[in-house]
Amino acid sequence: MLIAFEGLPGAGKTTQSRLLADHLTRQDVPVNYLPDNLTRTEDALGSTLLELFVSADPFSRHGSVITDTMLATAIRTNTVATHIAPALTTGQTVIEDRGVHTIQSYSLATLLQKHAGHPADGTRWLRAVSALSGPAADVAVWLRLPADDAIARAAHREGHPYTAEQHAFLRHVHDAYSHLAADDPDLVTVDVLGLAPQQVHQAVLRALADRAPIPRPTEHSSLMQ
C-alpha cells in the first residue's frame, strides 16, 4: 500500500509521516518511509534530475509550468523505480512525504497565478502528465492548514520570511489543493488548525480507517500517547 502526505510547507507532513510510520512499525507492519521525493539522490539519474530541478526559487520554479511539471514528474518516476515499486513488491507499506498531488498542486498554482482559464482544464492536463510518474497513492492525506498559518510556520522554521510573491504563490497552492480534493476521492482532507501533532495523528488514523487497512492503536498504547 502507498500512502502520501500532502500540504503546504509548515502543515506538518514530515511529522505526520513519521508518526504514522512509527505507529505501523509498532503494529509489526513493514514500512518504507520516504522523507520526500526530492531526496532521491542515491543514483546518477536522480542526482542529475535534481540538479536540473534546482533553481534560485525556493519552490524550484523555472518560469515555465511545462518545464516544472515535466521535471517533477521525471524525479518521481525515478523515485518510483528505485524505491516505491521495489518496496511495494516486497509487501511493505510505503509512506511518501509528498507525492503525485504535489506535482499537480504546485503546477496548478502556477496556472492559477499566471494563466487565465478554468482550473478543471489545467487539472486534466496535470493528471495526465503526472500519471506518467507511476502510481498515485492508494490514499493521499492533505493536511489542510490555512495558507497564512502554514506560511508563518514555514518561515519560522526556515529562519527567513517569504516574499509577497511567494506568499501569493502558496495561497494559490492552497487553492489548488482545494480544487484537487473536490473531485478526487483518494485525496483525503484532514483539518489541522489548532491541533497538536498527536491530535492530528489520531485524526489521520480516523481518516485512513475507512479507506485503508491501517491497524489502530490498542487501548493501552492510546493511553500511553
Side-chain angles (χ1 to χ4, degrees):
M1 171 165 292
L2 177 58
I3 300 169
F5 281 88
E6 297 285 354
L8 293 179
K13 297 179 298 299
T14 299
T15 297
Q16 294 307 315
S17 296
R18 290 173 174 167
L19 285 173
L20 181 59
D22 290 344
H23 166 74
L24 292 176
T25 300
R26 290 195 302 271
Q27 304 296 326
D28 296 323
V29 176
V31 176
N32 190 319
Y33 164 55
L34 304 181
D36 67 58
N37 63 8
L38 298 183
T39 62
R40 306 276 67 85
T41 59
E42 288 85 349
D43 62 8
L45 176 58
S47 297
T48 299
L49 290 170
L50 289 174
E51 289 174 5
L52 291 173
F53 197 62
V54 169
S55 72
D57 178 78
F59 313 118
S60 297
R61 293 174 294 176
H62 296 78
S64 167
V65 67
I66 295 175
T67 298
D68 294 343
T69 305
M70 293 300 184
L71 282 173
T73 298
I75 290 168
R76 187 173 186 273
T77 301
N78 184 63
T79 302
V80 169
T82 57
H83 290 76
I84 295 175
L88 292 176
T89 299
T90 61
Q92 297 180 71
T93 293
V94 178
I95 300 175
E96 264 190 299
D97 185 342
R98 297 191 177 278
V100 166
H101 291 91
T102 290
I103 300 172
Q104 297 171 358
S105 63
Y106 277 72
S107 293
L108 182 57
T110 299
L111 293 173
L112 293 172
Q113 186 178 38
K114 296 185 177 181
H115 303 279
H118 196 280
D121 297 329
T123 300
R124 283 192 292 269
W125 176 73
L126 290 167
R127 284 181 173 156
V129 173
S130 61
L132 299 174
S133 73
D138 296 294
V139 182
V141 179
W142 173 28
L143 301 176
R144 183 166 63 186
L145 184 66
D148 288 342
D149 294 88
I151 292 166
R153 282 189 189 180
H156 176 75
R157 178 187 65 200
E158 295 169 15
H160 59 80
Y162 287 131
T163 67
E165 188 279 331
Q166 291 163 356
H167 272 252
F169 176 71
L170 286 176
R171 292 187 187 103
H172 283 297
V173 175
H174 178 84
D175 292 342
Y177 273 119
S178 296
H179 288 297
L180 295 173
D183 63 352
D184 186 347
D186 292 328
L187 182 57
V188 180
T189 302
V190 172
D191 287 304
V192 304
L193 181 63
L195 299 182
Q198 280 294 340
Q199 292 174 309
V200 177
H201 174 57
Q202 295 301 320
V204 167
L205 292 180
R206 289 193 296 270
L208 292 174
D210 295 333
R211 299 169 182 269
I214 301 298
R216 298 298 307 278
T218 63
E219 180 179 353
H220 175 72
S221 64
S222 296
L223 292 173
M224 293 295 291
Q225 291 180 348

